[in-house]
Amino acid sequence: MNHLFYWHFHPEYELVYIEGASATRHVGDNISNFVDSDLVFIGSNIPHLNFDYGVQTDYIKEVLHIKPKFKDQVLGDIPELESIDTLFEKSRHGIVFTGETKKRIGERLKKLYQLSSFDLFMESIHILKELASSDEYFLLHEYPFINRYRKKEQDRLRDIHEFVDKNYQRKIAIAEIAEKCNLGKEAFCRYFKKTTGNTFTNFLNQYRISQAKRLLLMGKNVGETCYDCGFESLSYFNRTFKKISGENPSDFKKQYLVNLKKVK
């Protein structure tokens, strides 16, 4: 599905591992990047983009879906599984696992398809138990994500996101995207704010900065990255980058290189 911009949500909880890829992680309102691999646990009905979108390298992706009734009918009735129930509550924020936890669980997920139904179920419990006890993680949202999208709005939002992905490198007028939604400019702004809780301009800037990080990590300089991501002013790019990321582009790139040397 790496060629398909698949912005979607579903009632199942999702544990996804991808290896051999560096791409954009888009979960709920959070847009961020991962490098080389990623392990994320996503709560029920949290909108997300397929993690392999746009990936051109050879990669492995493993996805485990867990039906909501597992939490509702199983976890709550078994005290020994309380820590896993807490893990499912945390998944409402979107959880990214790091370090050795990511490596170990990734390897176990790659072997699930070889197991019988019973062994797959038991191994899934063990995986969830290890994730529940890990402290190698961070949350993608400060508060539990609330899905404001109705099913009939999903296609329209997917079209908006796909349009941004294909056109973020150039100037995008709100009137242009509003026309594609068959709405007036003001009506579109109200619709987008009400539906996503964010303004379109903030969403566009957040998406552009996520792409800017990717380009910086690929070796492009700050000036090239600024204009390749649709910004028309270097000073505005620097201010926006710092507002969203908490640091300026040069410091972000330097810090990555320092961490890379430490790993090596």
Side-chain angles (χ1 to χ4, degrees):
M1 293 181 65
N2 60 324
H3 65 287
L4 178 64
F5 190 97
Y6 189 43
W7 174 249
H8 64 292
F9 59 89
H10 42 73
E12 292 81 11
Y13 294 81
E14 180 174 309
L15 180 62
V16 57
Y17 174 72
I18 185 167
E19 178 182 283
S22 299
T24 298
R25 178 198 303 119
H26 191 165
V27 178
D29 291 332
N30 182 276
I31 303 173
S32 46
N33 293 289
F34 63 89
V35 178
D36 296 332
S37 63
D38 207 23
L39 177 64
V40 184
F41 191 34
I42 304 171
S44 177
N45 284 318
I46 296 181
H48 53 282
L49 181 66
N50 47 311
F51 283 68
D52 54 356
Y53 175 68
V55 174
Q56 300 298 319
T57 55
D58 291 332
Y59 64 93
I60 295 171
K61 186 173 76 167
E62 305 292 340
V63 179
L64 177 65
H65 278 170
I66 305 170
K67 292 185 179 295
K69 65 181 180 181
F70 174 74
K71 179 184 187 311
D72 299 336
Q73 300 177 11
V74 177
L75 296 181
D77 293 334
I78 304 178
E80 291 79 6
L81 299 181
E82 182 178 355
S83 64
I84 297 179
D85 190 44
T86 300
L87 174 72
F88 274 67
E89 286 297 316
K90 285 183 182 178
S91 74
R92 297 169 61 198
H93 300 255
I95 313 173
V96 177
F97 291 94
T98 62
E100 290 300 316
T101 299
K102 178 172 66 171
K103 293 179 183 178
R104 289 195 303 271
I105 298 302
E107 289 302 312
R108 294 170 73 171
L109 287 171
K110 288 191 289 186
K111 299 174 182 178
L112 285 184
Y113 77 96
Q114 302 172 338
L115 305 178
S116 66
S117 296
F118 178 80
D119 289 338
L120 186 150
F121 176 78
M122 295 305 298
E123 174 65 355
S124 297
I125 294 293
H126 286 295
I127 286 173
L128 293 171
K129 177 64 175 176
E130 182 169 343
L131 292 177
S133 62
S134 174
D135 58 3
E136 296 180 304
Y137 72 88
F138 60 89
L139 303 178
L140 292 174
H141 299 89
E142 183 178 359
Y143 301 102
F145 182 84
I146 299 174
N147 189 347
R148 308 174 185 88
Y149 311 136
R150 293 176 294 176
K151 281 290 186 181
K152 68 179 183 179
E153 294 173 332
Q154 184 173 342
D155 289 341
R156 174 182 272 180
L157 287 167
R158 185 183 300 165
D159 289 343
I160 292 172
H161 288 211
E162 185 172 14
F163 178 84
V164 168
D165 179 74
K166 291 181 178 178
N167 296 280
Y168 71 89
Q169 303 96 330
R170 64 172 179 85
K171 182 176 181 179
I172 299 177
I174 292 180
E176 180 183 5
I177 186 65
E179 183 179 355
K180 291 194 173 290
C181 296
N182 297 315
L183 294 170
K185 181 178 176 180
E186 293 182 359
F188 171 79
C189 290
R190 288 194 300 269
Y191 162 79
F192 195 87
K193 175 70 173 179
K194 180 180 179 181
T195 306
T196 69
N198 199 4
T199 67
F200 178 74
T201 299
N202 286 342
F203 167 76
L204 178 60
N205 281 339
Q206 190 178 8
Y207 195 86
R208 282 173 167 161
I209 295 304
S210 75
Q211 296 300 325
K213 290 181 178 180
R214 179 177 59 84
L215 294 179
L216 289 169
L217 297 185
M218 289 172 59
K220 289 205 171 188
N221 63 44
V222 174
E224 288 177 315
T225 299
C226 166
Y227 298 111
D228 284 351
C229 290
F231 289 94
E232 298 179 329
S233 163
L234 186 58
S235 60
Y236 180 65
F237 169 68
N238 286 329
R239 288 198 306 272
T240 304
F241 195 103
K242 188 169 185 178
K243 180 180 179 181
I244 292 174
S245 303
E247 57 187 339
N248 63 48
S250 298
D251 289 341
F252 169 80
K253 188 172 184 177
K254 288 177 183 177
Q255 187 60 43
Y256 171 76
L257 294 175
V258 169
N259 292 337
L260 189 62
K261 289 180 180 179
K262 288 180 179 178
V263 171
K264 290 181 178 180

